[in-house]
Amino acid sequence: MKKVLFVCLGNICRSPLAHGIFQRMVNDAGLSDEILVDSAGTASYHIGSLPDVRACKVSEEMGITLTHRARAFTQEHFQQFDYILAMDKQNLQNILILEPSTHKATVKLMRAYDIKHPNEDVPDPYYGELDGFVEVFDMLERSCDVLLKEIREQLSL
Ligand code: 4NP
């Protein structure tokens, strides 16, 4: 079993999209008993909220319904997850501030898995238009695909 946590700032735009996209890929591969998917945010403004309506619209058009409720990233997540994937460098910094001295999680940028533009930020679409969410969806889909391949290799699945 591998456990993957996607992390952004508010947990209402980027990380719930990554969560929904990756969960769909895991389900389609028949691996939902082998890979657990979740998401969280480093800020607490939106705790308990459903994803942003624009994130829901873009994902719904791709056949993915987002049902996650925003929650905060906590230090305990370092013990609970094998992968902690930050949407941008600021989120990564916010995560690493809480890093305990020992844990086994792999902590890195989501776009470490983007073969087209490795290690770039997933841009914050919150203050932009709908097309920003479409772009985010595409880069997340590309990265999730590579992430799933890596985890399948690790699990020999
Ligand atoms: P997210 O986007 O980090 O991708 O969920 C944001 C959501 C809310 C805010 C900023 C970014 N905000 O400032 O409220």
mmCIF file of all heavy atoms in Angstrom, residues 104-127:
data_model
loop_
_atom_site.group_PDB
_atom_site.id
_atom_site.type_symbol
_atom_site.label_atom_id
_atom_site.label_comp_id
_atom_site.label_asym_id
_atom_site.label_seq_id
_atom_site.Cartn_x
_atom_site.Cartn_y
_atom_site.Cartn_z
ATOM 1 N N LYS A 104 9.309 8.857 6.866
ATOM 2 C CA LYS A 104 9.701 8.114 5.651
ATOM 3 C C LYS A 104 9.054 8.659 4.389
ATOM 4 O O LYS A 104 9.161 8.060 3.322
ATOM 5 C CB LYS A 104 9.338 6.633 5.824
ATOM 6 C CG LYS A 104 10.228 5.931 6.833
ATOM 7 C CD LYS A 104 10.062 4.419 6.707
ATOM 8 C CE LYS A 104 10.322 3.722 8.013
ATOM 9 N NZ LYS A 104 9.385 2.661 8.318
ATOM 10 N N ALA A 105 8.370 9.802 4.518
ATOM 11 C CA ALA A 105 7.668 10.325 3.341
ATOM 12 C C ALA A 105 8.642 10.913 2.325
ATOM 13 O O ALA A 105 9.645 11.520 2.698
ATOM 14 C CB ALA A 105 6.675 11.396 3.786
ATOM 15 N N THR A 106 8.314 10.720 1.061
ATOM 16 C CA THR A 106 9.007 11.420 -0.020
ATOM 17 C C THR A 106 8.288 12.746 -0.192
ATOM 18 O O THR A 106 7.081 12.771 -0.456
ATOM 19 C CB THR A 106 8.900 10.608 -1.332
ATOM 20 O OG1 THR A 106 9.578 9.375 -1.153
ATOM 21 C CG2 THR A 106 9.501 11.362 -2.506
ATOM 22 N N VAL A 107 9.019 13.846 -0.011
ATOM 23 C CA VAL A 107 8.394 15.167 -0.090
ATOM 24 C C VAL A 107 8.992 15.887 -1.292
ATOM 25 O O VAL A 107 10.205 16.108 -1.341
ATOM 26 C CB VAL A 107 8.671 15.988 1.193
ATOM 27 C CG1 VAL A 107 7.950 17.322 1.141
ATOM 28 C CG2 VAL A 107 8.251 15.202 2.435
ATOM 29 N N LYS A 108 8.156 16.211 -2.266
ATOM 30 C CA LYS A 108 8.688 16.947 -3.415
ATOM 31 C C LYS A 108 7.612 17.708 -4.162
ATOM 32 O O LYS A 108 6.428 17.642 -3.807
ATOM 33 C CB LYS A 108 9.474 16.030 -4.331
ATOM 34 C CG LYS A 108 8.790 14.821 -4.870
ATOM 35 C CD LYS A 108 9.824 14.116 -5.777
ATOM 36 C CE LYS A 108 9.461 12.727 -6.118
ATOM 37 N NZ LYS A 108 10.419 12.113 -7.038
ATOM 38 N N LEU A 109 8.068 18.415 -5.202
ATOM 39 C CA LEU A 109 7.132 19.178 -6.016
ATOM 40 C C LEU A 109 6.328 18.235 -6.904
ATOM 41 O O LEU A 109 6.878 17.276 -7.467
ATOM 42 C CB LEU A 109 7.887 20.153 -6.927
ATOM 43 C CG LEU A 109 8.481 21.385 -6.271
ATOM 44 C CD1 LEU A 109 9.372 22.114 -7.279
ATOM 45 C CD2 LEU A 109 7.379 22.320 -5.761
ATOM 46 N N MET A 110 5.053 18.537 -7.054
ATOM 47 C CA MET A 110 4.200 17.754 -7.952
ATOM 48 C C MET A 110 4.801 17.663 -9.347
ATOM 49 O O MET A 110 4.810 16.621 -9.989
ATOM 50 C CB MET A 110 2.818 18.436 -8.012
ATOM 51 C CG MET A 110 1.834 17.756 -8.914
ATOM 52 S SD MET A 110 1.491 16.121 -8.278
ATOM 53 C CE MET A 110 0.473 15.466 -9.588
ATOM 54 N N ARG A 111 5.327 18.802 -9.815
ATOM 55 C CA ARG A 111 5.824 18.809 -11.201
ATOM 56 C C ARG A 111 7.239 18.248 -11.328
ATOM 57 O O ARG A 111 7.834 18.325 -12.403
ATOM 58 C CB ARG A 111 5.661 20.188 -11.825
ATOM 59 C CG ARG A 111 4.183 20.478 -12.043
ATOM 60 C CD ARG A 111 3.941 21.795 -12.707
ATOM 61 N NE ARG A 111 4.111 21.727 -14.148
ATOM 62 C CZ ARG A 111 4.094 22.809 -14.929
ATOM 63 N NH1 ARG A 111 3.932 24.014 -14.393
ATOM 64 N NH2 ARG A 111 4.250 22.672 -16.229
ATOM 65 N N ALA A 112 7.737 17.639 -10.271
ATOM 66 C CA ALA A 112 8.912 16.780 -10.431
ATOM 67 C C ALA A 112 8.537 15.667 -11.407
ATOM 68 O O ALA A 112 9.393 15.078 -12.059
ATOM 69 C CB ALA A 112 9.320 16.200 -9.089
ATOM 70 N N TYR A 113 7.212 15.386 -11.514
ATOM 71 C CA TYR A 113 6.716 14.312 -12.378
ATOM 72 C C TYR A 113 6.251 14.810 -13.746
ATOM 73 O O TYR A 113 5.724 14.026 -14.523
ATOM 74 C CB TYR A 113 5.565 13.569 -11.678
ATOM 75 C CG TYR A 113 6.054 12.838 -10.460
ATOM 76 C CD1 TYR A 113 5.911 13.378 -9.193
ATOM 77 C CD2 TYR A 113 6.719 11.622 -10.591
ATOM 78 C CE1 TYR A 113 6.399 12.723 -8.079
ATOM 79 C CE2 TYR A 113 7.208 10.965 -9.486
ATOM 80 C CZ TYR A 113 7.046 11.529 -8.230
ATOM 81 O OH TYR A 113 7.540 10.877 -7.135
ATOM 82 N N ASP A 114 6.413 16.111 -13.999
ATOM 83 C CA ASP A 114 5.980 16.652 -15.292
ATOM 84 C C ASP A 114 7.139 16.585 -16.272
ATOM 85 O O ASP A 114 8.063 17.403 -16.222
ATOM 86 C CB ASP A 114 5.506 18.097 -15.111
ATOM 87 C CG ASP A 114 4.935 18.671 -16.397
ATOM 88 O OD1 ASP A 114 5.118 18.053 -17.481
ATOM 89 O OD2 ASP A 114 4.309 19.735 -16.320
ATOM 90 N N ILE A 115 7.078 15.613 -17.181
ATOM 91 C CA ILE A 115 8.218 15.418 -18.088
ATOM 92 C C ILE A 115 8.376 16.586 -19.058
ATOM 93 O O ILE A 115 9.460 16.832 -19.548
ATOM 94 C CB ILE A 115 8.119 14.077 -18.870
ATOM 95 C CG1 ILE A 115 6.689 13.783 -19.276
ATOM 96 C CG2 ILE A 115 8.688 12.933 -18.062
ATOM 97 C CD1 ILE A 115 6.519 12.466 -20.001
ATOM 98 N N LYS A 116 7.301 17.331 -19.273
ATOM 99 C CA LYS A 116 7.364 18.459 -20.211
ATOM 100 C C LYS A 116 8.049 19.678 -19.572
ATOM 101 O O LYS A 116 8.882 20.326 -20.202
ATOM 102 C CB LYS A 116 5.937 18.832 -20.631
ATOM 103 C CG LYS A 116 5.800 19.205 -22.076
ATOM 104 C CD LYS A 116 4.331 19.145 -22.489
ATOM 105 C CE LYS A 116 4.014 20.157 -23.556
ATOM 106 N NZ LYS A 116 2.576 20.245 -23.796
ATOM 107 N N HIS A 117 7.709 19.967 -18.317
ATOM 108 C CA HIS A 117 8.289 21.129 -17.625
ATOM 109 C C HIS A 117 8.622 20.739 -16.191
ATOM 110 O O HIS A 117 7.920 21.144 -15.259
ATOM 111 C CB HIS A 117 7.301 22.297 -17.615
ATOM 112 C CG HIS A 117 6.900 22.752 -18.973
ATOM 113 N ND1 HIS A 117 7.733 23.494 -19.776
ATOM 114 C CD2 HIS A 117 5.770 22.540 -19.696
ATOM 115 C CE1 HIS A 117 7.124 23.727 -20.927
ATOM 116 N NE2 HIS A 117 5.930 23.157 -20.900
ATOM 117 N N PRO A 118 9.688 19.966 -15.994
ATOM 118 C CA PRO A 118 9.946 19.440 -14.645
ATOM 119 C C PRO A 118 10.250 20.523 -13.609
ATOM 120 O O PRO A 118 10.940 21.490 -13.908
ATOM 121 C CB PRO A 118 11.159 18.513 -14.845
ATOM 122 C CG PRO A 118 11.594 18.651 -16.245
ATOM 123 C CD PRO A 118 10.643 19.501 -16.989
ATOM 124 N N ASN A 119 9.682 20.307 -12.437
ATOM 125 C CA ASN A 119 9.929 21.131 -11.254
ATOM 126 C C ASN A 119 9.421 22.566 -11.319
ATOM 127 O O ASN A 119 9.776 23.391 -10.490
ATOM 128 C CB ASN A 119 11.415 21.099 -10.862
ATOM 129 C CG ASN A 119 11.775 19.728 -10.319
ATOM 130 O OD1 ASN A 119 11.005 19.131 -9.573
ATOM 131 N ND2 ASN A 119 12.927 19.219 -10.712
ATOM 132 N N GLU A 120 8.575 22.857 -12.311
ATOM 133 C CA GLU A 120 7.933 24.179 -12.282
ATOM 134 C C GLU A 120 6.778 24.133 -11.275
ATOM 135 O O GLU A 120 6.325 23.064 -10.873
ATOM 136 C CB GLU A 120 7.412 24.538 -13.676
ATOM 137 C CG GLU A 120 8.554 24.938 -14.591
ATOM 138 C CD GLU A 120 8.089 25.500 -15.912
ATOM 139 O OE1 GLU A 120 6.903 25.865 -16.054
ATOM 140 O OE2 GLU A 120 8.935 25.566 -16.806
ATOM 141 N N ASP A 121 6.322 25.315 -10.889
ATOM 142 C CA ASP A 121 5.158 25.387 -9.999
ATOM 143 C C ASP A 121 3.875 25.042 -10.769
ATOM 144 O O ASP A 121 3.767 25.340 -11.962
ATOM 145 C CB ASP A 121 4.989 26.814 -9.461
ATOM 146 C CG ASP A 121 6.048 27.164 -8.418
ATOM 147 O OD1 ASP A 121 6.747 26.252 -7.932
ATOM 148 O OD2 ASP A 121 6.157 28.364 -8.093
ATOM 149 N N VAL A 122 2.915 24.462 -10.076
ATOM 150 C CA VAL A 122 1.542 24.438 -10.589
ATOM 151 C C VAL A 122 0.991 25.809 -10.199
ATOM 152 O O VAL A 122 0.837 26.104 -9.005
ATOM 153 C CB VAL A 122 0.692 23.317 -9.945
ATOM 154 C CG1 VAL A 122 -0.738 23.380 -10.474
ATOM 155 C CG2 VAL A 122 1.310 21.950 -10.197
ATOM 156 N N PRO A 123 0.745 26.695 -11.172
ATOM 157 C CA PRO A 123 0.372 28.079 -10.816
ATOM 158 C C PRO A 123 -0.967 28.141 -10.087
ATOM 159 O O PRO A 123 -1.875 27.371 -10.383
ATOM 160 C CB PRO A 123 0.312 28.788 -12.172
ATOM 161 C CG PRO A 123 0.170 27.720 -13.191
ATOM 162 C CD PRO A 123 0.767 26.464 -12.623
ATOM 163 N N ASP A 124 -1.041 29.076 -9.138
ATOM 164 C CA ASP A 124 -2.268 29.258 -8.369
ATOM 165 C C ASP A 124 -3.337 29.858 -9.289
ATOM 166 O O ASP A 124 -3.181 30.988 -9.751
ATOM 167 C CB ASP A 124 -1.952 30.202 -7.202
ATOM 168 C CG ASP A 124 -3.140 30.428 -6.313
ATOM 169 O OD1 ASP A 124 -4.256 29.996 -6.671
ATOM 170 O OD2 ASP A 124 -2.957 31.044 -5.254
ATOM 171 N N PRO A 125 -4.423 29.137 -9.566
ATOM 172 C CA PRO A 125 -5.434 29.651 -10.508
ATOM 173 C C PRO A 125 -6.525 30.482 -9.833
ATOM 174 O O PRO A 125 -7.412 31.009 -10.497
ATOM 175 C CB PRO A 125 -6.044 28.346 -11.058
ATOM 176 C CG PRO A 125 -6.000 27.413 -9.889
ATOM 177 C CD PRO A 125 -4.768 27.787 -9.076
ATOM 178 N N TYR A 126 -6.467 30.632 -8.516
ATOM 179 C CA TYR A 126 -7.585 31.174 -7.725
ATOM 180 C C TYR A 126 -8.019 32.569 -8.173
ATOM 181 O O TYR A 126 -9.202 32.858 -8.256
ATOM 182 C CB TYR A 126 -7.190 31.185 -6.252
ATOM 183 C CG TYR A 126 -8.301 31.558 -5.304
ATOM 184 C CD1 TYR A 126 -9.398 30.728 -5.111
ATOM 185 C CD2 TYR A 126 -8.236 32.749 -4.575
ATOM 186 C CE1 TYR A 126 -10.403 31.062 -4.221
ATOM 187 C CE2 TYR A 126 -9.242 33.092 -3.677
ATOM 188 C CZ TYR A 126 -10.318 32.252 -3.501
ATOM 189 O OH TYR A 126 -11.314 32.591 -2.618
ATOM 190 N N TYR A 127 -7.037 33.450 -8.462
ATOM 191 C CA TYR A 127 -7.375 34.833 -8.822
ATOM 192 C C TYR A 127 -7.491 35.045 -10.326
ATOM 193 O O TYR A 127 -7.586 36.168 -10.799
ATOM 194 C CB TYR A 127 -6.352 35.797 -8.208
ATOM 195 C CG TYR A 127 -6.413 35.787 -6.705
ATOM 196 C CD1 TYR A 127 -5.447 35.118 -5.952
ATOM 197 C CD2 TYR A 127 -7.467 36.413 -6.030
ATOM 198 C CE1 TYR A 127 -5.522 35.074 -4.566
ATOM 199 C CE2 TYR A 127 -7.551 36.373 -4.654
ATOM 200 C CZ TYR A 127 -6.579 35.708 -3.927
ATOM 201 O OH TYR A 127 -6.665 35.664 -2.569
#
